[in-house]
Structures are given as C-alpha cells and as structure tokens.
Amino acid sequence: DAGVTQSPTHLIKTRGQQVTLRCSPKSGHDTVSWYQQALGQGPQFIFQYYEEEERQRGNFPDRFSGHQFPNYSSELNVNALLLGDSALYLCASSSGWQETQYFGPGTRLLVL
Amino acid sequence: ILNVEQSPQSLHVQEGDSTNFTCSFPSSNFYALHWYRWETAKSPEALFVMTLNGDEKKKGRISATLNTKEGYSYLYIKGSQPEDSATYLCASDSGNTPLVFGKGTRLSVIA
C-alpha cells in the first residue's frame, strides 16, 4: 500500500510565477491537508479538503488555492510567487478530518 | 501558553543514553496531542495520539506522557540508538480546528 505521495520533490521558480504541487493520499483516505514549513519553523496549516470542498483554511493569502479531485488527490496552487514562499510543502491525508494524519515527503519549493 | 512550544530545540546524546524532551501546549479546548518522528528526507511518521490526562503510551523504546491540566507532554527515549536520530514534532489538536505544530526537537544520537 503506497503511502502519501507528492510531486514534484523539488521545484525552482522565480518571483511572480505560479506553481502547482500535487498530492495523492494514502489508500482509503478522503481528507487532504496542506502545510507549509519554512526554515526553522514547524509546519503551518494552509487548508484542508474533504469531499472536494475546502473545509478549513489557515492564515494564508488568497494567492494560495487548492483543489481536490473525485479520486481524493489534491493540488496546491500558489500564484504570484514571493521569495517568502520558499519552503517545504507537506501534504497529509486522513480517513476523516479528526483522524490521524499521514504525511507525504513534501515538495521543496525555492523561489528566486 | 498560546502556541505549541518544544524544548530543547536540539539535542546530542551518546548511543545508549536515555533522553527526554518536552512539548507545551494550550490546555484550554484540548482534544488530542500528536507526536511525530521525522527522519531526514522521509515523511513525518505518526508516533502517538494522546487524549486523556495522565495517559502514557509506549512504542518500543519510546514512550510519552500527557498532562492536559498543565498543558505539557514528555517524550522519552530509552537507550538511544543512531536510528533514533530525527526531528520529533508535537502538534496540539483542538478537535475542530487545524493541528498546531511546534518547531520540533532535533535529536542526534552519536555512535
């Protein structure tokens, strides 16, 4: 059983560009959460998707948006990239919004 | 305490030593406390989910305790091994709000 997978593993973009990160949840999981981990910080919650709807959102600007597909996979989109968006982006899945979250290995984004 | 705080930030121990570190979290609106182990270049791995005051959980040489009234949890590693080297994250769970993570404790076990 494959766990949570994310793609790509690394990405380099320039300021102002847009980026899409992808996540496939663990088999049987229907809820996907996205986190941003900046250097020296703990993971910060971006948003959570359940049944293709954004269920909760953290304190991130509208430049951060997402989507969940009928197969429960998810995308995180960031528009108008800033240098400060450079971070590790983690995806986590669970079998319900109050259940233990299982994390992917993350996508490391560098904005130049 | 408004945020989740972990101490120490980093720790170096010799192989065979026992060690422990702390997670402090808001005691109000408590639902659960999560511990994760995160090895370099891998995914964070769930270690424990703790919900009851006084709870103690164990997984091999690793154990954790929980005090919800004062808002802290301890993680203990007995007889540390090099493979225990990782960042240990805790996260506070209020039930209907997102997990709030600490910055982690980075453990290095020297052979």
Side-chain angles (χ1 to χ4, degrees):
Chain A
D1 170 32
V4 180
T5 60
Q6 293 186 242
S7 63
T9 55
H10 296 82
L11 204 50
I12 300 175
K13 292 285 188 179
T14 56
R15 279 180 299 175
Q17 285 190 310
Q18 179 264 344
V19 69
T20 297
L21 310 182
R22 295 176 177 83
C23 172
S24 290
K26 185 176 168 67
S27 178
H29 286 184
D30 57 8
T31 302
V32 173
S33 302
W34 287 92
Y35 294 83
Q36 180 197 67
Q37 190 190 28
L39 198 62
Q41 303 296 315
Q44 299 288 314
F45 176 77
I46 303 175
F47 41 55
Q48 183 182 75
Y49 278 84
Y50 173 70
E51 292 189 343
E52 302 179 52
E53 297 285 332
E54 183 182 290
R55 197 187 78 80
Q56 286 188 323
R57 188 179 181 92
N59 189 26
F60 279 80
D62 292 345
R63 298 186 297 109
F64 289 76
S65 63
H67 188 78
Q68 186 178 34
F69 298 94
N71 67 353
Y72 306 120
S73 66
S74 177
E75 288 181 349
L76 163 65
N77 301 291
V78 188
N79 294 323
L81 284 166
L82 303 174
L83 297 180
D85 295 331
S86 296
L88 180 70
Y89 289 85
L90 291 164
C91 167
S93 73
S94 56
S95 58
W97 56 274
Q98 283 189 315
E99 300 301 315
T100 298
Q101 295 185 22
Y102 291 79
F103 284 83
T107 292
R108 188 165 296 282
L109 172 66
L110 178 60
V111 182
L112 300 176
Chain B
I1 298 173
L2 299 179
N3 296 317
V4 177
E5 298 171 1
Q6 292 188 247
S7 63
Q9 184 175 353
S10 65
L11 196 53
H12 291 77
V13 301
Q14 292 290 131
E15 182 176 357
D17 286 351
S18 293
T19 187
N20 66 86
F21 23 93
T22 306
C23 172
S24 300
F25 55 88
S27 54
S28 59
N29 299 317
F30 176 82
Y31 177 77
L33 192 283
H34 301 254
W35 280 102
Y36 286 87
R37 174 171 59 197
W38 194 358
E39 296 178 66
T40 303
K42 294 188 177 180
S43 308
E45 172 198 357
L47 280 175
F48 305 115
V49 181
M50 309 183 77
T51 55
L52 300 175
N53 185 44
D55 214 1
E56 182 170 347
K57 295 209 171 181
K58 190 174 180 181
K59 185 176 183 179
R61 293 177 292 98
I62 304 177
S63 61
T65 61
L66 179 68
N67 183 322
T68 61
K69 293 182 180 179
E70 296 183 39
Y72 65 83
S73 176
Y74 293 134
L75 190 79
Y76 301 90
I77 303 179
K78 185 178 178 182
S80 301
Q81 298 297 309
E83 58 265 31
D84 296 327
S85 297
T87 295
Y88 291 83
L89 289 170
C90 69
S92 175
D93 183 349
S94 298
N96 58 358
T97 56
L99 294 183
V100 178
F101 282 86
K103 294 182 180 180
T105 292
R106 183 187 292 270
L107 174 66
S108 296
V109 181
I110 304 162

